[in-house]
Amino acid sequence: MARAKKSKDDSKTSEQPIAPIADAETLDADSGSDSDDAFADLGPKRTHHWLIAVSVGGIIAIASLVGFKVAYASKIYPGVSVNGTSVGGLTKAQAKTALDRASQTYQDEQVPISYGNTTLSVDISQIGISYDSDAAVAEAYAHGREGSLGDHLRQVARAITDRPTKLVHYSYDDAKLAPYVAEIVEKTDTPVVNATLNFSDTGRATVNPGQAGQRLDIGLLVRSLEQRIAASSAEAITAPIYQQSPNIETGDLESAKSQADVYLQGPITLAILNKTTLVQLSDIIKWISVDRPTPSLLAPNLTIDQVANYAPPVPVTLSVSDAAIAAYVAGLAKTTDKTGQNAALTIQDGHATVFQPSIVGYHMDQVGTASAIKAALVKLPSDRNIVVAVKTMDPAVTEANLNDLGINELIGEGVTYFPGSPAARMQNIRVGAAKFNGVLVKPDEVFSFESNLGDVGPATGYAPALVILGDHEEFQYGGGMCQVSSTAYRAALFSGLPIVERHNHSFAVGYYTAPYGVPGVDATVFNASIDLKFKNDTGHYILIQTVLSGTTLKFDFYGTKVKTGRIRGPYFIDPAGGAGWNPTVPSTTVFYRDILDLAGNVIKTDTIQTHYKSSLDFPVVKELN
């Protein structure tokens, strides 16, 4: 990227007021009057003399300006220079020739930059300097010819008194200068090294001394080089390098060293359940850090200069990292924490029995343990013993409370059939149904099919089979899972459970018409965005059992029967029922679910209406690789 330098006019920095052409007192003296009384007697005449003097002075000034402009009508005013080359008194053509010659000559120059005992020469021809001599000449010629009459008079006065006006007109390429600067940075910059604490195997602290660094002031170096270019100068530059002191110096660590010795008096003993663990000195050393905080508040009543250089003495602090201790404790918890697990149940002779015992869970109090460890660091070795709090978490379902769960009888059953299913689809049904065998649904829990199903892919035993996706069918892992969800849906219906979420298929699928002969009692699922959910409102646990026999799948819900569900339908609304079922024809069906109490009384009726599109609208468009 080229960096252009704007013209610089030094006239404003060196201007002085133009002296009056004539002095009124001098004019009065020349009139021949020698006494103050004479002036007093001739008051009006004296005033007239002043007016004449001012008028004459103005006329002379304007006349001088006009004469000067005539003399330099085709020339640049005296005292003007561009990039260090004088062009005052030259015509535009002469000035252009002079500037072109000077710029060409300067291209052969090198500006030496010294640092230490080394000198790097910046080749002017290699940093992309360019000049627009036409524009520079135009600017030089315009100097003193633009602005108000007062501006013109001031510039003429500068020219007459031989006061210089320096203009700058060039550009250079930052990207071509950068390698020179980078080379100096690489050779001069050294990092600051803070003093640090070093710890022996026995935990004793020693101080590693700090080391000052140095850094090149790149901005000042570039400005110095720009000044040379502006003057077409090859004068040498001394690279501006400043020293940087360590933020933490050797002497700052003496008090920190003493504090470290306190922390490292000995290991910490942790009693965790029936085990003892030692926090070793090597672990404690990792938690210790040395820092000098940056002051955040300024002292009151400081001047601007004092604020700029404000550096109050801030003591070095030795601290123990809370995050490091927490990470250590989290690592301990991984070896002690254990997730509790309910007893796995099955139905035998119509009753719930345990086929896999429950597992007690444990959870360490990590926050309390970390706090106790930090407090122990300032105690004597004999007081560094901590009993770690570990919470025991009994599972909700155990061998002991099996009879309290209310799993006493079959409360509902759902059945679907899938003859003619491809082998991949049957594999997916078998794998998916097994995920729900033995699932317990707590009282008032909302059951989610997708949450219990888990990951569906090759790693979990699924195969690619057809699924309805958007506006087409394609092969996806787990195709056929809707057979499992539709079966669970029917079991929830017959158990009288509230249906929280249910979605039908986009078009009617033949696998889900039996035993009704009409579609409408199906439930599709897909990646948690389309789920099947129902609520256990029986007041007791529900145990799900799945049974797969050939091409028949059953979901049996066991618990305490407090109601039942009865389905009436489904019935065609459109097309008419007499037309029969045709998956290629859009249709709407409805069925009614009566909820009955144990005496057989209908206490609620749900109406479930389903809209299906034509199967012809969902072509198979993609095979899974």
Side-chain angles (χ1 to χ4, degrees):
M1 173 181 177
R3 174 178 294 180
K5 303 305 293 181
K6 296 182 178 179
S7 296
K8 178 182 179 184
D9 183 349
D10 291 342
S11 62
K12 292 184 180 179
T13 62
S14 58
E15 283 183 350
Q16 298 293 333
I18 298 176
I21 300 299
D23 186 277
E25 296 290 345
T26 304
L27 289 175
D28 282 346
D30 289 345
S31 68
S33 176
D34 296 326
S35 69
D36 291 337
D37 291 339
F39 281 101
D41 293 339
L42 298 174
K45 182 178 180 181
R46 187 180 184 199
T47 301
H48 180 64
H49 288 170
W50 272 100
L51 293 174
I52 293 174
V54 172
S55 300
V56 170
I59 293 171
I60 292 173
I62 294 173
S64 298
L65 174 62
V66 172
F68 184 87
K69 284 183 171 290
V70 170
Y72 286 92
S74 62
K75 299 178 181 178
I76 298 170
Y77 287 171
V80 177
S81 65
V82 178
N83 299 335
T85 299
S86 176
V87 293
L90 302 181
T91 65
K92 291 181 181 180
Q94 291 170 339
K96 176 176 171 53
T97 299
L99 291 177
D100 287 342
R101 184 184 303 114
S103 63
Q104 185 59 44
T105 300
Y106 191 55
Q107 290 288 323
D108 298 330
E109 296 287 353
Q110 293 183 333
V111 178
I113 302 175
S114 61
Y115 50 94
N117 297 322
T118 305
T119 298
L120 173 69
S121 294
V122 177
D123 192 336
I124 297 300
S125 65
Q126 298 300 312
I127 61 173
I129 294 181
S130 62
Y131 303 93
D132 186 344
S133 58
D134 289 328
V137 168
E139 185 176 354
Y141 182 77
H143 191 75
R145 291 178 165 88
E146 296 178 344
S148 65
L149 177 60
D151 293 334
H152 289 207
L153 287 172
R154 281 192 293 271
Q155 296 304 329
V156 169
R158 288 179 62 83
I160 291 174
T161 57
D162 197 26
R163 295 169 66 186
T165 298
K166 300 177 181 178
L167 303 179
V168 176
H169 208 290
Y170 72 91
S171 66
Y172 70 93
D173 192 336
D174 282 341
K176 293 182 178 179
L177 176 61
Y180 291 99
V181 177
E183 181 176 343
I184 299 174
V185 168
E186 182 180 359
K187 299 292 178 59
T188 59
D189 282 18
T190 57
V192 173
V193 178
N194 285 326
T196 58
L197 290 179
N198 186 43
F199 299 95
S200 66
D201 294 338
T202 60
R204 302 302 296 174
T206 57
V207 178
N208 291 331
Q211 177 180 320
Q214 64 181 22
R215 178 167 294 181
L216 173 69
D217 189 330
I218 296 175
L220 184 56
L221 173 62
V222 172
R223 286 197 297 273
S224 298
L225 183 59
E226 288 175 346
Q227 291 170 357
R228 301 299 189 275
I229 298 172
S232 298
S233 169
E235 180 184 353
I237 298 173
T238 300
I241 299 171
Y242 60 90
Q243 300 297 310
Q244 292 180 298
S245 299
N247 186 45
I248 300 175
E249 301 195 36
T250 304
D252 296 328
L253 291 183
E254 289 306 318
S255 60
K257 176 180 176 296
S258 300
Q259 183 62 50
D261 289 339
V262 172
Y263 291 155
L264 298 171
Q265 292 182 82
I268 299 173
T269 302
L270 304 178
I272 308 174
L273 295 176
N274 57 349
K275 297 180 181 179
T276 298
T277 298
L278 287 181
V279 182
Q280 303 289 352
L281 296 181
S282 57
D283 296 314
I284 299 174
I285 288 171
K286 296 175 184 177
W287 306 341
I288 297 174
S289 63
V290 179
D291 188 29
R292 165 165 275 158
T294 301
S296 58
L297 298 176
L298 293 176
N301 304 320
L302 294 180
T303 66
I304 294 299
D305 289 340
Q306 288 172 326
V307 171
N309 297 293
Y310 183 70
V314 178
V316 169
T317 60
L318 184 143
S319 61
V320 175
S321 170
D322 291 337
I325 296 178
Y328 175 84
V329 173
L332 287 177
K334 290 181 180 179
T335 65
T336 60
D337 284 11
K338 182 183 296 184
T339 301
Q341 185 174 317
N342 288 329
L345 307 181
T346 187
I347 297 297
Q348 186 174 0
D349 297 329
H351 298 283
T353 60
V354 174
F355 76 88
Q356 184 174 316
S358 60
I359 298 175
V360 176
Y362 298 98
H363 180 72
M364 177 190 290
D365 178 4
Q366 295 189 34
V367 174
T369 302
S371 179
I373 289 175
K374 187 173 183 179
L377 290 174
V378 296
K379 295 180 180 180
L380 295 173
S382 57
D383 294 330
R384 296 188 170 199
N385 301 303
I386 299 171
V387 176
V388 176
V390 178
K391 182 179 180 181
T392 300
M393 297 179 295
D394 294 324
V397 179
T398 68
E399 298 83 345
N401 67 1
L402 182 61
N403 293 331
D404 301 328
L405 302 179
I407 304 174
N408 305 316
E409 56 193 323
L410 180 69
I411 65 172
E413 182 178 76
V415 182
T416 60
Y417 310 92
F418 45 98
S421 288
R425 189 174 190 274
M426 293 189 67
Q427 174 183 333
N428 294 337
I429 294 170
R430 181 175 63 255
V431 174
K435 295 285 186 180
F436 297 90
N437 192 50
V439 169
L440 278 169
V441 186
K442 296 184 295 185
D444 296 322
E445 178 184 353
V446 174
F447 169 91
S448 166
F449 186 90
E450 287 286 355
S451 296
N452 283 276
L453 179 63
D455 181 58
V456 176
T460 50
Y462 292 92
L466 275 177
V467 300
I468 303 171
L469 191 61
D471 59 356
H472 62 278
E473 293 181 80
E474 67 177 63
F475 283 82
Q476 290 276 340
Y477 284 102
M481 247 341 78
C482 297
Q483 191 80 46
V484 182
S485 59
S486 293
T487 311
Y489 174 54
R490 294 179 180 185
L493 289 173
F494 285 114
S495 299
L497 303 177
I499 306 301
V500 177
E501 179 181 347
R502 173 257 178 177
H503 305 271
N504 60 277
H505 290 78
S506 298
F507 62 88
V509 179
Y511 294 123
Y512 312 122
T513 59
Y516 310 103
V518 174
V521 192
D522 60 314
T524 185
V525 291
F526 185 76
N527 287 344
S529 59
I530 300 177
D531 200 357
L532 167 67
K533 296 179 181 179
F534 59 82
K535 182 177 181 179
N536 176 9
D537 66 345
T538 66
H540 305 276
Y541 275 83
I542 293 176
L543 173 64
I544 298 177
Q545 295 283 278
T546 59
V547 180
L548 179 62
S549 177
T551 58
T552 299
L553 176 63
K554 291 199 303 179
F555 265 66
D556 291 332
F557 287 6
Y558 287 90
T560 298
K561 182 176 289 190
V562 295
K563 55 185 175 179
T564 59
R566 180 178 63 193
I567 292 178
R568 289 185 285 117
Y571 310 106
F572 274 117
I573 298 176
D574 179 27
W581 172 64
N582 185 345
T584 64
V585 177
S587 60
T588 301
T589 65
V590 64
F591 72 85
Y592 306 97
R593 197 265 299 259
D594 296 324
I595 299 176
L596 296 81
D597 63 18
L598 296 183
N601 301 310
V602 176
I603 57 177
K604 182 184 179 184
T605 297
D606 298 320
T607 301
I608 297 94
Q609 194 172 92
T610 304
H611 304 279
Y612 295 109
K613 299 178 183 179
S614 168
S615 61
L616 300 178
D617 295 336
F618 298 87
V620 177
V621 299
K622 181 180 179 182
E623 294 283 344
L624 186 69
N625 293 328

